Amino acid sequence: DPDDLYVDHAYDMIVVSNRLPVDYEEQPDGGIGWKSSPGGLVTALEPVMRAADGAWIGWAGVADREFDPFEHDGISIIPVPLSESELEEYYEGFSNDTLWPLYHDVIAPPSFHREWWDAYVRVNRRFAEAAARAASDGAVVWVQDYQLQLVPKMLRESRPDLVIGFFNHIPFPAYGIYSQLPWRRQVIDGLLGADVIGFQRVADAGNFSRAVRRLFGYRTHGTVIDVPDTDATSNEGDVRRVVARAFPISIDAAGFEEMARRPEVQRRAAEIRESLGNPETIILGVDRLDYTKGIRHRMKAFGELLRDGRLNVEDVTLVQVASPSRERVETYRQLRDEIELTVGRLNGDYATLGHQAIAYLHHGYPRDEMVALYLAADVMLVTALRDGMNLVAKEYVACRFDGDGVLVLSEFAGASDELRQAVLVNPHDIEGLKDAIVEAVRMPRRERTRRMRALRRRVIDNDVAKWSASFLETLTGAGIITAGVTEP
Ligand code: G6P
């Protein structure tokens, strides 16, 4: 009975994210089905949620459908509906055509539309109301990502008893860029409703604190921001202490390694190499088809290496997995056209009957197939122009229990703060990128294993369980400190 799941004020731990850990899937017979939405967040939070008897609030991935709450793998799922126009204005519009390009350093120009902002406010309020209704007295509510930045303040206003966390999975830009946002004050005000605001990189947290000082003049010391307390019970000059700091997200490293060790996955990896004609070197790119990922830069560099004869199509194949994403947003459509034109040209110019230059796959794949691809790849290319973290880089490392494989990693991905033994690149520098690819292809085995050993230590020691534990410890600790602070 769904009424048992949606008991008011029943949950001590709530995660709120735009996307639920499960996506709605229409069955051939017209019935309702649910499939796990792939992604780090789910694996990160599932164990925590199951232990805490928590609820997950989010959107089921389709417009104009209402679903009752249900139970999935021991987690209560509370779907929030979006209308078709909200899908256009809040999700495709303000989230993915305003905030996404703005927060990724305006790689694409952001669009500013007042109707989109209105929809963003309206939908954020709906998520906040769902959380306020489901949360028990003093519950912990953890809000995720840029689609829901207003939820912390909305929640605090209706439920001051809650402990509220926010984690931003994407970059937070420098003030000179952030300040373009017409609603720059409202967004920061919304975030400051949280007790702890988490970012991927130290630089992101710094950009946020700077924006708070510039726009509000609040005092910051280290990772703490003094926010004037407007609670009904507070006195003049009281402050609430908000923590804003980096918590670099990670993956279930042991889970990836376990999958990589399965004989059937290793057989699949060998089969992939075989089907590509057993080239000496397989280079792999795995991304959502997004303009932040630097897929064009990567293809340009690879194409020039073939043109210049520094790489030979008989020996080297680039496999590019580009999973479909946000396909109704114009910038994404354009990108797809450009990339597919480039793939066609490169294969037309350099492929032979037996050897493709680029094997391009516009699909999402299940995790075991991704792991087989990671095992098959001698070189992994992560050339993002801007990326909050980039979990693909960490997944590749976690899968390489054989200690082999070379990671080429953009310094503009958050992962580069930690994965220092990768071959680090500036993807805008096409000559430098070409040299890095050649270096990776030719790297002697001793050096490959030396680097991979160091990378693996890092990823295995800092897995996603550690990430969520560290955030939640800071959050629940912060709740106690906050209650005691009344001095400015
Ligand atoms: C990024 C964002 C997530 C988002 C994911 C997929 O990783 O940080 O919040 O869920 O992309 O994008 P989508 O628009 O399909 O949810």
Side-chain angles (χ1 to χ4, degrees), residues 337-357:
D337 287 345
E338 284 171 39
I339 283 177
E340 295 184 353
L341 188 71
T342 306
V343 170
R345 284 208 176 134
L346 286 178
N347 277 333
D349 285 344
Y350 302 110
T352 62
L353 282 175
H355 297 277
Q356 304 183 76

Side-chain angles (χ1 to χ4, degrees), residues 367-389:
R367 176 175 296 180
D368 52 352
E369 179 73 358
M370 295 313 306
V371 170
L373 274 163
Y374 292 143
L375 287 178
D378 305 287
V379 175
M380 183 79 218
L381 277 187
V382 177
T383 57
L385 306 174
R386 194 39 99 193
D387 207 332
M389 173 57 63

Side-chain angles (χ1 to χ4, degrees), residues 18-19 91 96 100 145-147 169-170 288 325-326:
N18 177 58
R19 239 178 231 288
Y91 170 72
N96 290 316
W100 181 269
D145 229 357
Y146 62 102
Q147 303 95 341
H169 292 254
I170 69 173
R288 271 187 312 102
S325 187
R326 307 172 189 164

Side-chain angles (χ1 to χ4, degrees), residues 2-14 52-55 57 76 78 130-141 159 161-162:
D3 290 344
D4 293 342
L5 291 169
Y6 207 164
V7 188
D8 289 356
H9 300 213
Y11 296 98
D12 298 338
M13 165 83 195
I14 293 176
D53 203 3
I57 295 175
S76 300
I78 303 178
R133 184 173 159 195
S136 68
D137 194 39
V140 170
V141 180
R159 292 289 306 273
D161 59 296
L162 300 179

Side-chain angles (χ1 to χ4, degrees), residues 80-160:
V80 173
L82 291 185
S83 70
E84 179 59 35
S85 77
E86 286 164 348
L87 175 74
E88 284 167 28
E89 298 184 330
Y90 149 79
Y91 170 72
E92 293 171 338
F94 200 78
S95 294
N96 290 316
D97 205 10
T98 304
L99 293 172
W100 181 269
L102 184 76
Y103 281 28
H104 287 86
D105 286 357
V106 299
I107 296 168
S111 307
F112 301 116
H113 296 297
R114 286 163 281 185
E115 316 77 61
W116 291 4
W117 165 254
D118 294 342
Y120 187 77
V121 176
R122 204 164 57 240
V123 171
N124 270 249
R125 190 166 300 288
R126 186 172 309 142
F127 277 83
E129 278 165 6
R133 184 173 159 195
S136 68
D137 194 39
V140 170
V141 180
W142 191 359
V143 183
Q144 310 288 330
D145 229 357
Y146 62 102
Q147 303 95 341
L148 299 174
Q149 293 174 101
L150 307 180
V151 170
K153 170 150 195 237
M154 290 170 171
L155 251 187
R156 179 168 300 280
E157 279 173 354
S158 61
R159 292 289 306 273

